[in-house]
Amino acid sequence: MLFRPDRHDFRLIGFYTGKVLFGVGLAMILPLVVAVVLGETNDAYGFAIGVALAVLVGRATEALLYTRASLQTSHGLAAVALSWLLAPFFAAVPLLLSGHYASYLDAYFEAMSGFATIGLTLTNDLDHMTRSVNLWRHLTQFLGGQGIVVVVLTIFASAGTRVSTLYTGEGREEKIVPNVVRTARFIWRVALIYALLGTVLLTAALLLAGLPPATAAYHGINLFMAAFDTGGFVPQSANVAFYRSPMVEAVLLPIMLAGACSFALHFQLWRGRHQELYRNIETRVIALSVTGLFVIMAVGLARGGTFVEASPLFRHGFFQLISAHTTTGLSTVPGRLFVTDWGVLAPAMIVTAMAIGGMAGSTAGGIKGIRIGLIAKSLRRDIRKVLLPENAEIVETFHSTSRRPLRDDQVRAAATVLLLWLLLYLGGGLLGLFYGYDLQTALFESVAAASSGGLSVGLVRPDLEWPLKVVYTAQMMIGRLEFVAVFALAGYVVAIVRGRV
Amino acid sequence: MSDPRIAPVSRLRVLAATVAGLAILAGVLALTEWLRHPLPSGGSVAAEAAAPGADPRSEIVCETPVPREGIPRSPDPAVPGQPVGISSNELYDCPETYDRRAVSYRGEVVGAVLRRDEGAWVQLNDDPYSGDVGPLPAHRDFRGGNAGVGVLIPHSLADTIVVVGGPQTRGDILEVIGVFHRVDDASGEVTIIRAQDGSVVRQGGALPDPPLRDRQVVAVLLGLAAAAVVAAERVVARRR
């Protein structure tokens, strides 16, 4: 039986949503400072308005809905979903005020694409965008990739264990250390160490590519956020191809891969357990998938005559595949070429890679390696069952930080989520077909939006039909939160309408 | 979901709270729309329009068929011949057709001039923002994303570039004559032009960005209001 929510339910959801909005407001202070320093006056006012609105609404909501009631799973999940709906709304304020977006919907789409680390963009004339606004686009990826809620957890550490359900609602499946706040802090530590290393290496590579020092540092920071948080925004419209540098691409590859690794794996490596890298079911699945997909892609590119030499084939093909598999969305070739020069096999492998995605508990999107691995293990168990004597006891195991027996409920959950992912991909694809786009284009873009793959063949552009913008925005959020939090929020709406007293 | 000992909130109150929340969001939206660049300092307001050829539904018509597996490409590369005037959209739509052909291309220098031993790489945008429409955010004539091609130019030509397009600057317009490469054997880059010759046909410059007074006033007022709410919340929190 469904009960109608009481005032504690509303207060709890609103209170934590207010906290997140306040956090988003504080995050806008960094680009505000950059705008002031660089003399981008009108954008500085834009950020000041954005900060003020988010802080005003966030803090007022917190004050009005203050509660000491304890947070339960359903509250946490609903608060995460509501936060993810509202945070881009406030983050879009300085974007729209920058003058590079045709409508609020476009700015909201961009902010959601940033937070959900998608990389699809509706920016008009990106190449003349001010540095502060461009930095904000990239910063949304960093915040969203780390998890907006994780950011709040770190800032408001005293909330402690009560907010652990918020953590799981953001698609983080396991606590790395028993305390969720310490887990959040570990995630931050990893991110900041990678940020330091990655930014230095990228800046050095960009300097060698010919960028002036200040510009190289600016691009280095932004590219790091795009790669490590598997986001896919780039400061220039030509994407990574702008730099014309194999060295920049070579530095980006391991950063993208690191971003697609779960923080649990980072923790194991941090503790010196390097064997986890090749024992873990997810790293095995992804290594196998990358190898298989790249071989097919290479056959397609060679057979179609896209590349005659092995070197450019490997350079561009492998970069695109890793970018797709880690659901980053960085690109060394114009997206239009996927349709006009790359044949059909290679783009199909890119779509497949985006659809599979990275590791659970990472910043990457997609179905995730763990689910593919569990379903494959289950299939193997079923085949063995058929082949072995009827009374044989078959125990299938998998390794994820430790060796674990495969349980039916895990397989069922993985299969259910897999089905939901396929339906999500199909939904956006169908709407694309409705608007007259061909199957390849519609499916490519739908998977890119939902899986956070972010590569584009050109369908997502500022004059895209608004229903498609709305559906892609919804796909981005649902995909990033991996369904459950969105279902919880929808459950509350149903309970309000149909619940019993 | 609900504690049975606590009475649920009536639907009317939920509706009222929802309407109030939506009204706040509508207020934020209305305020932001009102303050949009470049209002109220003037500027054209035009309907959103895509750059020609940007719609992926438009049929691609090329001299050579769009390549794919099973259809062999032309074994002999094209002879450069006389340069043909070309746009970036045409090059991306029909890379096979223009591969190794002499082309004449014109675009705004954006981002940076990347100097290397073999020459200097520049990104030349030929989208509407490089033409008469001009860069954003000086107007509200939205024409979609940028479009351009990477060009490798001789150092002598790179020396003539004075202004590179970017934030608050409009770059020089460069016209180049060179050969388009679908895949450049020497550098491994794709869809680029190796230019032999060229010139700056229009000098760039700083973009006007007059301060928007209404935005300044609203920023100050909202900032004060936000500070007041934060302070009030602190006081209330201490009393708790």
Side-chain angles (χ1 to χ4, degrees):
Chain A
M1 191 194 298
L2 204 60
F3 287 109
R4 216 186 296 164
D6 62 41
R7 68 174 190 280
H8 285 320
D9 297 323
F10 288 108
R11 277 183 175 273
L12 278 163
I13 295 166
F15 178 73
Y16 285 103
T17 304
K19 264 192 193 306
V20 173
L21 294 184
F22 179 64
V24 169
L26 293 184
M28 275 188 257
I29 291 174
L30 180 62
L32 166 62
V33 171
V34 171
V36 171
V37 170
L38 296 177
E40 296 166 351
T41 317
N42 289 323
D43 286 316
Y45 293 134
F47 280 110
I49 292 167
V51 172
L53 286 171
V55 167
L56 200 66
V57 174
R59 264 296 191 238
T61 307
E62 268 188 80
L64 287 171
L65 301 178
Y66 177 79
T67 178
R68 285 185 179 176
S70 72
L71 194 76
Q72 290 173 9
T73 306
S74 66
H75 303 129
L77 294 173
V80 165
L82 193 59
S83 300
W84 274 79
L85 267 179
L86 292 177
F89 190 87
F90 288 91
V93 170
L95 293 179
L96 189 72
L97 289 177
S98 74
H100 285 266
Y101 297 90
S103 66
Y104 209 101
L105 176 62
D106 288 12
Y108 183 85
F109 178 103
E110 190 83 1
M112 183 65 87
S113 180
F115 280 128
T117 71
I118 309 295
L120 295 174
T121 182
L122 293 181
T123 308
N124 290 272
D125 195 13
L126 174 67
D127 290 332
H128 291 101
M129 182 177 264
T130 55
R131 293 199 196 284
S132 55
V133 178
N134 219 339
L135 175 69
W136 177 232
R137 291 172 70 236
H138 289 82
L139 201 57
T140 55
Q141 299 176 130
F142 193 63
L143 296 172
Q146 301 312 303
I148 307 173
V149 174
V150 173
V151 175
V152 176
L153 279 174
T154 316
I155 296 169
F156 307 104
S158 58
T161 50
R162 286 193 301 156
V163 289
S164 58
T165 52
L166 295 166
Y167 173 82
T168 48
E170 268 191 330
R172 311 263 188 225
E173 291 191 348
E174 53 187 312
K175 283 176 270 182
I176 298 162
V177 287
N179 182 310
V180 76
V181 174
R182 283 178 59 203
T183 300
R185 283 183 177 157
F186 172 76
I187 289 173
W188 270 107
R189 203 182 312 149
V190 168
L192 291 175
I193 289 169
Y194 272 108
L196 192 68
L197 277 172
T199 304
V200 168
L201 285 173
L202 279 169
T203 304
L206 290 165
L207 277 169
L208 289 172
L211 280 181
T215 313
Y218 174 80
H219 282 241
I221 292 166
N222 285 323
L223 278 181
F224 170 78
M225 290 192 275
F228 184 70
D229 289 288
T230 62
F233 285 157
V234 175
Q236 297 291 145
S237 66
N239 215 293
V240 176
F242 172 81
Y243 307 106
R244 307 286 166 200
S245 166
M247 194 182 293
V248 171
E249 294 156 24
V251 176
L252 285 169
L253 279 171
I255 300 176
M256 289 193 282
L257 285 168
C261 289
S262 70
F263 286 100
L265 179 64
H266 283 296
F267 185 67
Q268 295 299 322
L269 298 177
W270 186 270
R271 296 177 69 181
R273 295 178 185 164
H274 301 291
Q275 68 274 25
E276 184 69 22
L277 200 59
Y278 48 87
R279 276 190 191 164
N280 190 292
I281 183 171
E282 284 201 274
T283 50
R284 283 182 175 191
V285 166
I286 289 168
L288 204 65
S289 167
V290 165
T291 310
L293 293 176
F294 181 69
V295 167
I296 300 171
M297 177 190 238
V299 168
L301 290 173
R303 189 157 180 263
T306 308
F307 295 104
V308 179
E309 305 282 331
S311 160
L313 186 154
F314 183 80
R315 176 183 163 191
H316 296 290
F318 193 67
F319 188 93
Q320 256 56 237
L321 190 74
I322 292 296
S323 177
H325 221 308
T326 57
T327 69
T328 307
L330 298 176
S331 178
T332 60
V333 298
R336 188 76 172 142
L337 294 190
F338 294 143
V339 177
T340 62
D341 198 43
W342 278 46
V344 286
L345 260 181
M349 293 309 104
I350 289 175
V351 173
T352 311
M354 288 195 289
I356 294 170
M359 291 177 73
S362 72
T363 66
I367 294 164
K368 306 276 166 54
I370 185 83
R371 298 193 181 105
I372 305 285
L374 291 181
I375 291 167
K377 287 261 181 189
S378 166
L379 194 64
R380 193 172 80 165
R381 185 179 60 182
D382 290 348
I383 292 169
R384 284 172 69 195
K385 249 184 203 170
V386 174
L387 297 178
L388 291 171
E390 276 183 20
N391 56 356
E393 188 74 28
I394 301 163
V395 179
E396 193 74 58
T397 61
F398 65 97
H399 189 98
S400 178
T401 64
S402 60
R403 184 148 294 280
R404 306 168 189 204
L406 182 70
R407 301 196 315 266
D408 283 340
D409 61 321
Q410 289 170 327
V411 177
R412 200 163 41 247
T416 306
V417 178
L418 175 72
L419 184 65
L420 288 171
W421 272 108
L422 295 178
L423 288 173
L424 190 65
Y425 295 148
L426 192 65
L430 280 175
L431 194 65
L433 291 177
F434 175 80
Y435 279 101
Y437 297 99
D438 60 59
L439 181 65
Q440 186 182 346
T441 307
L443 201 60
F444 195 108
E445 229 73 355
S446 173
V447 173
S451 73
S452 109
L455 288 165
S456 173
V457 289
L459 191 154
V460 171
R461 61 197 193 286
D463 69 330
L464 179 70
E465 291 79 4
W466 71 263
L468 273 169
K469 289 179 187 173
V470 172
V471 167
Y472 287 157
T473 308
Q475 281 184 303
M476 292 182 208
M477 181 180 149
I478 295 168
R480 174 63 180 84
L481 298 181
E482 301 211 24
F483 309 101
V484 182
V486 179
F487 290 162
L489 185 64
Y492 268 97
V493 175
V494 172
I496 291 164
V497 177
R498 302 187 61 181
R500 299 211 177 157
V501 178
Chain B
M1 189 173 281
S2 178
D3 187 338
R5 291 166 300 177
I6 303 169
V9 181
S10 72
R11 290 193 181 106
L12 198 64
R13 282 188 69 186
V14 174
L15 185 66
T18 308
V19 169
L22 289 175
I24 291 168
L25 295 182
V28 170
L29 198 149
L31 179 73
T32 315
E33 283 285 353
W34 177 59
L35 293 169
R36 272 175 79 173
H37 207 85
L39 297 178
S41 58
S44 65
V45 180
E48 188 181 333
D55 191 332
R57 283 169 297 198
S58 53
E59 197 184 344
I60 302 169
V61 182
C62 304
E63 280 176 31
T64 52
V66 173
R68 61 168 54 193
E69 295 85 347
I71 302 174
R73 294 189 192 226
S74 169
D76 301 319
V79 180
Q82 286 296 309
V84 287
I86 202 81
S87 72
S88 60
N89 278 329
E90 287 171 298
L91 292 176
Y92 293 140
D93 279 351
C94 308
E96 175 74 2
T97 300
Y98 295 104
D99 191 19
R100 300 182 193 217
R101 276 172 71 167
V103 294
S104 164
Y105 177 81
R106 176 188 283 217
E108 180 193 358
V109 184
V110 291
V113 178
L114 307 172
R115 288 183 182 274
R116 311 273 172 81
D117 293 339
E118 69 273 25
W121 284 104
V122 285
Q123 178 72 18
L124 297 187
N125 282 0
D126 65 340
D127 51 47
Y129 308 110
S130 68
D132 294 336
V133 174
L136 289 173
H139 56 82
R140 284 173 69 168
D141 194 352
F142 298 107
R143 300 291 184 100
N146 296 113
V149 174
V151 183
L152 184 66
I153 58 173
H155 285 297
S156 55
L157 183 55
D159 293 339
T160 64
I161 297 169
V162 179
V163 185
V164 174
Q168 299 165 319
T169 42
R170 184 175 195 165
D172 292 348
I173 300 288
L174 201 64
E175 185 167 293
V176 294
I177 292 169
V179 177
F180 173 72
H181 293 267
R182 192 179 58 79
V183 180
D184 183 48
D185 296 334
S187 64
E189 300 293 338
V190 292
T191 54
I192 58 109
I193 296 171
R194 275 184 174 267
Q196 292 98 37
D197 198 10
S199 60
V200 173
V201 293
R202 196 183 71 198
Q203 196 86 52
L207 289 169
D209 191 23
L212 302 167
R213 292 289 161 220
D214 56 345
R215 201 181 278 192
Q216 187 180 6
V217 171
V218 172
V220 170
L221 290 176
L222 279 175
L224 289 172
V229 167
V230 171
E233 200 269 345
R234 284 250 159 234
V235 171
V236 173
R238 261 191 226 116
R239 283 184 189 160
R240 280 187 203 125

